[in-house]
Amino acid sequence: MFKRMAALAIAIAVLAVPAGVASAAPNKDIVETAAGAPQFSTLVSLVEDAGLVNALSGDANLTVFAPTNAAFAKVPKKTLNALAADKKMLRKVLLYHVVAGKLTAAKVVKRSGAKTLEGSRVTFTVKKGGKVFVNDARVITPDIRASNGVVHAINRVLLPPSM
């Protein structure tokens, strides 16, 4: 009985992981990875507007806490319009979502926070039920791998402390 259960568990595990996924390195950078996911279309559009495509497509390893379209929908329209009109402020907000280095979920939960490319710090907390937060935004999809780092989808837009 134990052998059959073990064999079944192994078969399920093998079927759950597509061939080559575990060992294959991602071949799309952060921007290409985000552009390939419809849930990040607002973010990708804002990254393009802010002139940050090259910065997020380079060779440096980065971690992006990426707000989904639903997260941007929670931001008042007036605030979004103000950001769209002020490229410097838009860049500041977007860079507040980016940390130098590749911080997988396993690394994030062991840290209290990190300095962003904007210059301010974000805090990391693990709350009841193992839910991980960056400031007040919950990580809803961790460890989306890219060739130059990792993306964690979050449910809110982060605003730098100076705003």
Side-chain angles (χ1 to χ4, degrees):
M1 178 72 166
F2 177 75
K3 282 185 176 182
R4 284 181 43 183
M5 300 258 309
L8 180 59
I10 291 170
I12 290 170
V14 168
L15 291 174
V17 179
V21 168
S23 61
N27 58 3
K28 293 183 179 180
D29 64 40
I30 288 171
V31 175
E32 292 168 332
T33 299
Q39 69 178 343
F40 297 126
S41 62
T42 301
L43 176 63
V44 171
S45 177
L46 292 172
V47 164
E48 290 170 348
D49 291 348
L52 292 173
V53 172
N54 289 340
L56 298 176
S57 300
D59 292 332
N61 275 330
L62 301 170
T63 300
V64 176
F65 296 97
T68 63
N69 293 343
F72 279 105
K74 295 176 189 176
V75 176
K77 199 73 156 166
K78 183 179 176 181
T79 303
L80 283 178
N81 289 340
L83 288 173
D86 185 344
K87 300 297 182 207
K88 185 177 176 182
M89 188 61 67
L90 177 60
R91 286 177 64 91
K92 182 176 181 144
V93 169
L94 293 174
L95 290 174
Y96 188 61
H97 291 80
V98 184
V99 174
K102 184 177 178 181
L103 294 179
T104 62
K107 291 179 183 176
V108 167
V109 299
K110 294 178 183 177
R111 298 177 64 156
S112 61
K115 185 176 180 182
T116 69
L117 294 187
E118 177 269 339
S120 302
R121 290 185 61 79
V122 290
T123 59
F124 304 139
T125 53
V126 181
K127 297 186 179 178
K128 189 176 183 177
K131 294 179 180 165
V132 178
F133 286 79
V134 179
N135 293 354
D136 61 348
R138 185 167 59 88
V139 175
I140 54 177
T141 307
D143 293 337
I144 302 167
R145 294 174 44 199
S147 61
N148 63 334
V150 63
V151 176
H152 303 287
I154 57 175
N155 70 344
R156 295 184 69 139
V157 176
L158 304 174
L159 294 176
S162 60
M163 291 188 68

